Amino acid sequence: MSGPYEPLTPAVWQENAQGVPCSTLFDDVYHGAAGPLAQAQQVFLRGNDLPARWRGQDAFTICETGFGLGQNFLAAWQAWRDDPQRSARLHYLSFEAHPFSLPDLRRAWVGLSAGLQPLADELAAQWPPLLPGLHQLTLQSGGLSLTLVFGDIRRTARQVQACVDAFFLDGFAPRVNPAMWSPALFGQLRRLARAGATAATWCAAGQVRRDLRDAGFLVNKVPGVAGKRDMTIAVLRPGLGQTPGPRRRQSVAVVGAGLAGAGLAQSLALRGHQVQVWDPLDIGRVPAAMRSRGAAALVPALSPDDDTRSRLSRVGLQRAWARWAGLAGNARPDPCGALVCAQSPQQALSQQQALARLGFPADWVRWLDAAQASRQAGIPIAYGGLWFAQALRVCPGELQAALLTSPGVQYRTGTVTELLPLSSGGWQFKSADGRLLGEADQVVLATARQTPALLARVAEISAWPVLSGLTPLVGQVSLYPVPADMPAVPRCVVSGQGYCLPPRQGWAVAGSTYRPHVSVAEVDEAGHRDILRRIGGWLPDAALPWLGAAAPEGWAGWRAATRDHLPIIDAVAQHPGLWLACAYGSRGLSWSALAGDLMAARLDDEPWPIERELQHRIRLR
């Protein structure tokens, strides 16, 4: 978040004398005498006139100011699931400064009804590691999204973006947790509110009601539940709130069929948009044997101050697994884990110090000493390293083909060289010979190093310095055959200066080179030697028996990178309906699914999967 980094402090399970879960930090209980589900149904659902208000809607968004033990969410999910007239989609956004670990949540869910237990089990299967920031889960076969916001609400409320229909105000009591009931927070809730948004809470404190009024809500007291005389309901004053137009299925043309374009296409098609992908190459003619030979790694970055790239890469891995784990065959990523190896004793110490400062949970990243790292990788590792158990090995060719043939995605072979805005909205796009290729409501340029030239046909790009700093780079990887009688090592991704991937289908990958100022992307012997030199600086000779044992094959291609090595994922504000998704550098896998979900959220007024300040840093600037 903005400002100095603060580690996340998880909640600790505690019960009071009556057996009710309570907070040791705030000296308050997690639910009242009526029990959590009765409170959820009578205060939050009925107080917001649900389920009536979501009926017949294409989408409906709820925001909760305290996830706690998750019972409000489970009750809302059950009510929505059981309503035959429910909205097509339900989005649930929930803040939590001190989230519980999964074992504690399961403890709280003991004794749930037969209708709620399957929902709790589905939530448990996706419960994220306790890391600061946003965690977006997709449930109920894609019909329900849960966006968890972990961190101090005084910061996080400024960072989320959504269009909220109903608020569940459920923090601890104002006397012990005033930040959850402050005028500043209510101002942020007004920013998030859709016109006509409602709010409900068990709290009837006079100051809370006054502050809600000052924030723009019309407030009423109504009878409370379980011995409480009053509770509060509210509705946003007329004339306030967001007023987006009705959501509609749109036609989207994605220019470029690389990882950037393929990831966008899948995410947009999942929302029902009609997607065409245009590219000069015909992916259908790429032989399956060639498509499945290579591999690449998706490994999160880690910095001592949890900088922008670290935070984005963390969310990128989460979104990639959410979107791609259900793919079939070789397109499905392999969660083999990754070891980021220290290159010296000094770097080993720095890695350990960074982990101590960040306070990340061990199920996300942990330090392995030299002996532990060697056992994990199956090869000698001199100084230990950072172990990311959820890191992925991916076959880019198979992944690309699967995404581009997803339901709702149409692949078109052709070179787009000109864009023309339509007076009625939307865009035409043409080939070099002036032939009209098609029209679309939205156009996305996912064309890497070609993006500035294509954008320059419709806009003065000097207004965006980031594009002038876009550097084309050639990258090469080496592909080594691995005989069946040779040990299949490493057992995980290992990286340092360069990287090596576990063998798959008889081939192993080592990489990679970064060459600016060259005119042709081609595999050459100099590139193979450069990769061997990099890896040889930290892996002992013969640690990988396949490395250098035979003449390698290879792959080379173009990358485009900005000076700060962050992607550009944004709408072109001056040209409605035009978007950029480029400058992925060497992290095409990290940004692919994330960019698609971010664009889809902005098109459809869904809760964003990243903080507003992160979007600001990857904007067209």
Side-chain angles (χ1 to χ4, degrees), residues 6 8 46 55 121 146-147 162 207 252 280 301 339 448 455 536 603 607:
E6 292 183 11
L8 192 67
R46 189 176 302 169
R55 287 177 176 159
D121 291 341
L146 169 61
T147 304
Q207 189 61 53
V252 183
L339 189 64
L455 182 60
L603 275 181

Side-chain angles (χ1 to χ4, degrees), residues 3-176:
Y5 173 80
E6 292 183 11
L8 192 67
T9 304
V12 177
W13 181 268
Q14 182 75 33
E15 296 177 1
N16 64 13
Q18 291 74 42
V20 177
C22 59
S23 169
T24 56
L25 289 170
F26 296 100
D27 191 26
D28 200 0
V29 294
Y30 277 93
H31 57 77
L37 298 179
Q39 179 173 283
Q41 292 160 358
Q42 296 180 52
V43 175
F44 298 113
L45 291 173
R46 189 176 302 169
N48 282 285
D49 194 21
L50 300 174
R53 289 181 56 232
W54 64 43
R55 287 177 176 159
Q57 301 295 317
D58 189 76
F60 194 87
T61 300
I62 294 170
C63 176
E64 177 188 38
T65 57
F67 188 81
L69 293 165
Q71 286 101 332
N72 291 338
F73 169 67
L74 293 174
W77 183 359
Q78 183 184 42
W80 177 79
R81 182 202 61 180
D82 294 346
D83 183 0
Q85 298 175 278
R86 65 181 178 265
S87 57
R89 294 178 182 271
L90 178 65
H91 303 294
Y92 197 100
L93 171 69
S94 189
F95 295 89
E96 183 53 63
H98 305 288
F100 277 102
S101 66
L102 183 55
D104 282 342
L105 288 178
R106 287 194 179 278
R107 186 173 180 176
W109 297 338
V110 170
L112 288 176
S113 67
L116 281 174
Q117 193 60 60
L119 308 186
D121 291 341
E122 187 174 343
L123 174 57
Q126 293 197 42
W127 189 247
L130 302 188
L131 294 157
L134 273 63
H135 305 264
Q136 200 164 83
L137 316 183
T138 302
L139 304 159
Q140 193 74 35
S141 301
L144 170 64
S145 74
L146 169 61
T147 304
L148 295 162
V149 188
F150 290 164
D152 190 325
I153 199 167
R154 288 171 293 188
R155 297 193 315 277
T156 58
R158 300 194 301 268
Q159 294 297 334
V160 299
Q161 184 62 49
C163 192
V164 176
D165 298 283
F167 293 96
F168 294 1
L169 307 182
D170 193 27
F172 290 118
R175 62 179 175 81
V176 296

Side-chain angles (χ1 to χ4, degrees), residues 478-536:
S478 300
L479 287 79
Y480 286 90
V482 181
D485 59 353
M486 189 175 285
V489 290
R491 292 197 287 258
C492 62
V493 176
V494 291
S495 67
Q497 294 293 321
Y499 60 83
C500 297
L501 306 185
R504 61 181 298 276
Q505 298 191 359
W507 291 86
V509 175
S512 66
T513 63
Y514 299 87
R515 295 180 177 176
H517 313 304
V518 296
S519 57
V520 180
E522 61 183 4
V523 176
D524 59 25
E525 187 58 34
H528 292 313
R529 289 195 302 269
D530 186 26
I531 292 168
L532 284 174
R533 178 187 58 77
R534 290 169 180 265
I535 295 170

Side-chain angles (χ1 to χ4, degrees), residues 254 256-267 277 399-401 403-404 409 446 592:
V254 179
L259 286 171
L264 285 159
Q266 184 209 32
S267 290
V277 180
L399 172 66
Q400 223 170 308
L403 298 179
L404 293 171
V409 177
S592 176

Side-chain angles (χ1 to χ4, degrees), residues 270-305:
L270 284 170
R271 271 75 168 193
H273 298 296
Q274 301 168 345
V275 184
Q276 289 187 355
V277 180
W278 288 85
D279 196 274
L281 300 179
D282 182 355
I283 62 166
R285 295 185 179 180
V286 178
M290 291 297 296
R291 209 167 57 205
S292 63
R293 184 172 293 180
L298 202 173
V299 182
L302 187 143
S303 68
D305 58 349

Side-chain angles (χ1 to χ4, degrees), residues 425-497:
W427 294 82
Q428 285 185 339
F429 40 99
K430 296 183 177 182
S431 62
D433 59 4
R435 181 168 52 95
L436 178 64
L437 297 176
E439 297 181 355
D441 299 317
Q442 310 284 332
V443 174
V444 190
L445 304 185
T447 45
R449 66 193 179 102
Q450 284 88 19
T451 300
L454 190 51
L455 182 60
R457 303 293 296 269
V458 296
E460 176 52 62
I461 66 172
S462 62
W464 302 300
V466 68
L467 291 176
S468 65
L470 198 64
T471 302
L473 300 168
V474 169
Q476 175 180 329
V477 298
S478 300
L479 287 79
Y480 286 90
V482 181
D485 59 353
M486 189 175 285
V489 290
R491 292 197 287 258
C492 62
V493 176
V494 291
S495 67
Q497 294 293 321

